[in-house]
Amino acid sequence: MANELEIREMARKLNLYNIARLETYETDLSPVDYLSFLLQYEIDERKRRSVENNRRLSRLPKSNNREEFNGITKWMITKLQKCEWIEEEGNLVISGKCGTGKTALATMLGEKAIEQGYKVKYIKSDALIECLHQKNDNAKNRRIYESLVASDLIILDEMMYLPISEEDLRVLYKGLIFLNESRSVIIVTNRMLSDWDNACRDKHTIETLKDRLINDAKIIYLKTK
């Protein structure tokens, strides 16, 4: 009969490192049931560690545990948390004035997506523009861009908070259209969509970008209490 040291070594050889780190292998279960327990333990631990790693890489803001938002029902929040819209590569636009909980809602949905195995990346619009400008010349921004490409969901915060130059708009347009081809995007903005035109002189490009992003998207407007 194998002893604990031999079991740990076999687990390591099979890359079952979570089983190898178990404190003890003592059990009252039958051999088959115990084998099932060990394998399920390995699966659960790998999932937990994957979620932790994805949460770290997502750069999501710290959650403030806010649960109520004025402008969206609890039923709709529950439906969004199922993440079916991510599976369908749909987008979500969250708008409203400062203090209404836009980023908190986006963060909550990002957390739920990570828990369900999706890769999420949070980034502010100015950082995205910088990344798109420098992804071929700067190692840090190249890594950020690669993480965006590898994501299932991108949370883009502070979209159109400030006026944007025509050059930055062109870069943002090309980058977002490419990224949105095979992944979902949550747009967080304090401007009404109808007011995006006032953020840039190039009305045609901003209108085209807006139309592409909100096509079949779910649009939420959060209100102040």
Side-chain angles (χ1 to χ4, degrees):
M1 182 176 292
N3 59 36
E4 287 196 3
L5 245 137
E6 291 171 325
I7 293 175
R8 291 185 197 282
E9 185 58 30
M10 285 187 287
R12 290 192 187 96
K13 286 181 178 179
L14 291 170
N15 296 326
L16 302 175
Y17 294 110
N18 295 298
I19 292 177
R21 284 191 286 264
L22 276 173
E23 291 183 5
T24 179
Y25 295 104
E26 293 182 7
T27 180
D28 294 329
L29 296 173
S30 70
V32 172
D33 287 341
Y34 191 48
L35 177 60
S36 175
F37 162 77
L38 289 176
L39 294 177
Q40 188 61 53
Y41 177 81
E42 181 72 29
I43 291 169
D44 292 343
E45 280 297 293
R46 289 190 182 191
K47 181 179 179 181
R48 183 183 65 80
R49 290 174 182 273
S50 176
V51 167
E52 288 180 354
N53 186 54
N54 287 339
R55 183 176 289 113
R56 178 180 59 82
L57 294 174
S58 72
R59 302 298 184 187
L60 279 173
K62 186 175 180 180
S63 174
N64 63 7
N65 297 318
R66 183 168 179 168
E67 296 181 356
E68 294 187 2
F69 303 89
N70 192 19
I72 181 173
T73 64
K74 289 184 178 181
W75 177 85
M76 179 56 74
I77 292 175
T78 300
K79 183 175 176 61
L80 291 173
Q81 288 176 332
K82 294 179 180 178
C83 297
E84 294 173 353
W85 55 281
I86 299 177
E87 192 66 29
E88 297 167 357
E89 297 177 2
N91 292 341
L92 179 62
V93 178
I94 305 174
S95 65
K97 295 181 179 180
C98 294
T100 52
K102 300 182 300 297
T103 300
L105 178 57
T107 299
M108 176 196 292
L109 296 176
E111 289 278 2
K112 290 297 181 182
I114 290 172
E115 290 173 9
Q116 294 178 49
Y118 293 103
K119 292 183 178 180
V120 177
K121 184 68 175 181
Y122 171 91
I123 190 169
K124 293 184 178 180
S125 61
D126 58 347
L128 175 60
I129 291 170
E130 178 183 335
C131 168
L132 293 171
H133 273 298
Q134 300 180 10
K135 62 184 174 67
N136 296 322
D137 307 307
N138 179 283
K140 176 185 175 182
N141 283 305
R142 183 163 60 251
R143 288 194 297 271
I144 293 173
Y145 183 75
E146 289 171 353
S147 69
L148 290 167
V149 172
S151 298
D152 303 299
L153 171 64
I154 296 171
I155 300 177
L156 181 57
D157 204 350
E158 299 186 358
M159 182 71 165
M160 298 299 166
Y161 271 38
L162 297 172
I164 183 172
S165 71
E166 292 186 51
E167 180 184 1
D168 285 349
L169 178 60
R170 285 194 291 270
V171 169
L172 183 63
Y173 175 86
K174 291 179 181 178
L176 265 181
I177 293 304
F178 170 75
L179 291 170
N180 193 211
E181 283 183 356
S182 56
R183 57 195 58 79
S184 296
V185 180
I186 295 180
I187 303 291
V188 180
T189 177
N190 69 343
R191 286 180 182 260
M192 297 290 289
L193 291 173
S194 58
D195 192 39
W196 278 23
D197 293 359
N198 296 324
C200 185
R201 293 174 58 186
D202 188 346
K203 310 299 182 185
H204 174 73
T205 301
I206 198 69
E207 274 292 330
T208 306
L209 175 61
K210 182 172 65 176
D211 290 344
R212 293 287 295 271
L213 291 176
I214 68 174
N215 183 38
D216 294 328
K218 294 175 175 62
I219 300 174
I220 297 167
Y221 178 72
L222 298 183
K223 305 172 185 177
T224 53
K225 293 185 178 180

